[in-house]
Amino acid sequence: MLNHLSQTQIETIAVWYVVQHSLSSYYKIKAHFKNLEDSLKPESLIAWKNLNLHKNHIQRLEKFHTQEGQTEFQHLLQHIKQSSDFVITEADSCYPTQLLPYSDRPPIIFGQGNEQILLQPQIAIVGSRKSSPHGRQVAYDFAYYLSEKGFYINSGLAQGIDEAAHQGGIKNHRTIAVMGTGLDITYPSQNQALRQEIINHHGAVITEFLPTTKPLQQHFPRRNRIVSGLSLGIIVAEASLESGSLITAKLAADQGKLIFAIPGHIYSEHHQGCHQLIREGAILIDHPEQAIEDLALPTQWHSQQNSEQNNSTELSEKDSNQFLDIPDYLIPLYKQLDWVGQNIDQLATTLQLDIATLTGHLMELELSGLCMQQSGLYVRCRSNK
């Protein structure tokens, strides 16, 4: 349960609530107004109309300023506090940096569990809901192996492949579920126990949707862009030609992510989607180590992680205290770094630092084992100290 919401979070929630999760309307409003507080004032109605926002959004802003509207909104805030362990907006330092490059990024994330892990390196494992026993075993095995190596397994909490991937990641306390509903609803309902197990094992369950949002069909492609956006690469473990996981693969390709597909028997309908992806350019893999190699990540992620030496308490403390040994002036730079890599000009522009100062800061992080340079790009590392 969340005890407090910042003013920025409340304003973001208010706009998100009024525009009913419309990304286009939200970002039009954000671009037009100096701040979200101004956009919610009654006198902003004219500007909303001039922005050609949907008439329902304009009507909802009018209602928002009535006594009934304010009562409903306060009830929503209480609902959010009761159902969430954390709320993250783009203005918060813990917002996942890997989502920032995308114009359709979620302006707000509601979550339960450990918010710190959203910044950790993730690999998505997706596939058909109606999966075969073989497909579920492969998804579990790949998730177990990759999570043992230190990666967080990201998936959509659906039946079938998603479910098996989460179960494999749970064994090493490393899995993240992205939902297509509000946090107060579990879909499918039979995965309620799995969802709770993810939270109990220091994972996270997140969504961009407000409480009471139902599992409507159009919500799942939206959820899939977050699954792929958070991840370094996408593994399609098993998919028919009609599988929704092919949408995730397409979204990931549009985002510039590597797509991996696990092949199967040529006569198996369960694998026709994977075979189609391979024909279209996805990387064929039959062992999870191949995904690590193709992602060309820092070498410390290749070494075997001894999960027995890191019980759940130690892992939680390590995640939550990861910045304690970094000087305050280096924390913004470390948080900006990711596992894909950024050149020095990108970092200088984002952090508004001159090249000389930035070079010195990067050198300090490199000497501390928290950063390394690969092919001219700077990537985040974990200290081995």
Side-chain angles (χ1 to χ4, degrees), residues 116-329:
Q116 296 288 340
I117 65 175
L118 299 182
L119 292 164
Q120 299 301 317
Q122 301 166 43
I123 295 177
I125 298 180
V126 299
S128 295
R129 288 176 169 82
K130 297 179 180 178
S131 55
S132 69
H134 168 76
R136 290 192 292 275
Q137 185 64 56
V138 167
Y140 178 94
D141 291 345
F142 270 57
Y144 184 92
Y145 183 96
L146 291 168
S147 61
E148 193 174 45
K149 291 287 186 177
F151 298 97
Y152 281 80
I153 304 304
N154 190 319
S155 200
L157 199 67
Q159 287 179 285
I161 297 301
D162 289 14
E163 185 178 2
H166 287 308
Q167 289 168 340
I170 281 172
K171 295 300 181 182
N172 293 301
H173 305 283
R174 293 187 178 97
T175 192
I176 297 166
V178 185
M179 304 206 310
T181 65
L183 281 180
D184 58 329
I185 298 172
T186 300
Y187 181 82
S189 58
Q190 55 263 46
N191 277 351
Q192 176 60 40
L194 173 62
R195 170 182 171 171
Q196 191 58 51
E197 197 174 358
I198 290 171
I199 296 167
N200 292 345
H201 287 78
H202 306 283
V205 176
I206 65 170
T207 184
E208 68 179 324
F209 295 110
L210 293 163
T212 74
T213 302
K214 295 180 179 179
L216 303 179
Q217 186 175 0
Q218 65 267 26
H219 291 168
F220 296 100
R222 285 185 58 151
R223 172 206 61 189
N224 293 347
R225 87 189 192 287
I226 300 176
V227 170
S228 60
L230 285 169
S231 305
L232 294 162
I234 313 298
I235 297 174
V236 183
E238 183 182 76
S240 66
L241 288 173
E242 294 79 30
S243 172
S245 58
L246 300 188
I247 297 175
T248 309
K250 183 182 184 303
L251 290 167
D254 291 342
Q255 293 171 340
K257 303 296 177 72
L258 285 181
I259 314 300
F260 303 96
I262 301 173
H265 196 288
I266 61 171
Y267 295 121
S268 168
E269 65 177 21
H270 293 289
H271 291 90
Q272 288 178 0
C274 289
H275 297 162
Q276 178 67 31
L277 288 173
I278 292 168
R279 287 195 295 274
E280 293 174 354
I283 301 169
L284 185 156
I285 56 171
D286 56 21
H287 193 284
E289 187 67 30
Q290 295 163 348
I292 299 175
E293 292 169 358
D294 284 334
L295 287 167
L297 296 166
T299 54
Q300 61 265 39
W301 293 107
H302 291 245
S303 62
Q304 181 74 19
Q305 303 288 318
N306 188 345
S307 59
E308 293 180 358
Q309 292 180 356
N310 294 304
N311 61 36
S312 59
T313 302
E314 291 171 337
L315 177 64
S316 178
E317 289 175 354
K318 184 175 182 181
D319 286 336
S320 62
N321 296 325
Q322 60 182 319
F323 301 132
L324 289 182
D325 295 330
I326 306 176
D328 289 345
Y329 62 89

Side-chain angles (χ1 to χ4, degrees), residues 360-384:
H361 288 180
L362 287 166
M363 188 175 294
E364 286 188 64
L365 288 180
E366 285 188 82
L367 292 171
S368 300
L370 296 167
C371 166
M372 68 184 296
Q373 187 180 170
Q374 289 186 328
S375 304
L377 300 178
Y378 289 91
V379 296
R380 179 190 289 190
C381 307
R382 269 187 177 175
S383 175
N384 293 320

